[in-house]
Amino acid sequence: EIVLTQSPATLSLSPGERATLSCRASQSVSSYLAWYQQKPGQAPRLLIYDASNRATGIPARFSGSGSGTDFTLTISSLEPEDFAVYYCQQRSNWPPGTFGQGTKLEIK
Amino acid sequence: EVQLVESGGGLVQPGRSLRLSCAASGFTFDDYAMHWVRQAPGKGLEWVSGISWNSGSIGYADSVKGRFTISRDNAKNSLYLQMNSLRAEDTALYYCAKDMFPYITMIVVAWGQGTLVTVSS
């Protein structure tokens, strides 16, 4: 089973700053990696799929990059509504479609 | 607007069974694969099971294989999860989720609000 490791576990930043979240796979997942955002008490929301494709309705400040084992989610300029938990998920080798353990993006 | 409404959760004793349902609306249900994803209290996301548009392709996480069964009724726009031999570690919020395509791709584009399953004596 492919293991996804996200870093950092918690990221403390201020609105307007740039956020860089990392996801590393235990083996290559090609470009088959997605990013989800989850706010407290809400269901997750798809942000990015296949490493760099923004989902419908996702603002351009969200971007994804990477391939193989190393991936990055970048939020170019943080808005107040962006503070949440972010999960990566691989679909290269399923079942299962494993998720990372999450990165909490909190207001500094 | 896509709507996924789960039901059937509750408190159940270890070893017992429970059946979850998901009512879908706002899209052509039989055009998409569907999934169940769960989240234990205060924990991360875990994919549980997925089913293609015509039930021809089905997958399970190792943690539930042999105990859970996913199914769908396209005539009723409904997804189901039959959960047998429940364990304490199955305690979680169970989300019904919609795939991007008719076949299973694991790209989950829509989620319900979840139904809580608590396994405890």
Side-chain angles (χ1 to χ4, degrees), chain B:
Chain B
E1 179 193 1
V2 172
Q3 282 205 313
L4 300 168
V5 179
E6 304 92 339
S7 61
L11 175 63
V12 61
Q13 293 179 327
R16 304 297 291 265
S17 298
L18 209 57
R19 189 194 196 206
L20 305 184
S21 299
C22 171
S25 61
F27 65 101
T28 304
F29 183 69
D30 55 10
D31 277 353
Y32 297 93
M34 298 293 295
H35 302 270
W36 290 99
V37 179
R38 68 185 180 183
Q39 187 169 34
K43 302 297 184 181
L45 300 169
E46 179 187 16
W47 177 84
V48 173
S49 182
I51 185 169
S52 63
W53 68 280
N54 64 351
S55 305
S57 179
I58 287 175
Y60 298 97
D62 285 346
S63 57
V64 306
K65 197 175 297 182
R67 300 187 299 123
F68 289 12
T69 302
I70 192 172
S71 62
R72 64 189 295 161
D73 185 335
N74 287 343
K76 294 183 178 180
N77 291 346
S78 293
L79 177 72
Y80 306 101
L81 186 68
Q82 177 67 42
M83 305 186 295
N84 298 332
S85 304
L86 282 162
R87 306 167 179 167
E89 53 265 36
D90 295 319
T91 294
L93 186 64
Y94 283 73
Y95 291 105
C96 169
K98 172 182 173 286
D99 201 291
M100 182 177 276
F101 293 104
Y103 42 92
I104 298 173
T105 66
M106 298 284 181
I107 304 172
V108 179
V109 297
W111 304 67
Q113 285 305 304
T115 186
L116 182 63
V117 173
T118 303
V119 184
S120 174
S121 54

Side-chain angles (χ1 to χ4, degrees), chain A residues 14-81:
Chain A
S14 300
E17 291 192 292
R18 181 184 186 91
T20 302
L21 287 67
S22 175
C23 178
R24 176 164 289 178
S26 59
Q27 64 189 75
S28 177
V29 298
S30 186
S31 294
Y32 298 125
L33 190 106
W35 291 93
Y36 297 85
Q37 175 195 67
Q38 187 177 33
K39 298 178 181 179
Q42 296 186 17
R45 177 175 70 146
L46 176 67
L47 299 175
I48 301 287
Y49 65 96
D50 290 352
S52 60
N53 297 288
R54 266 191 307 276
T56 302
I58 301 304
R61 64 180 182 274
F62 291 92
S63 63
S65 63
S67 65
T69 60
D70 291 301
F71 299 86
T72 301
L73 174 69
T74 302
I75 310 171
S76 59
S77 179
L78 285 166
E79 297 288 341
E81 62 267 27

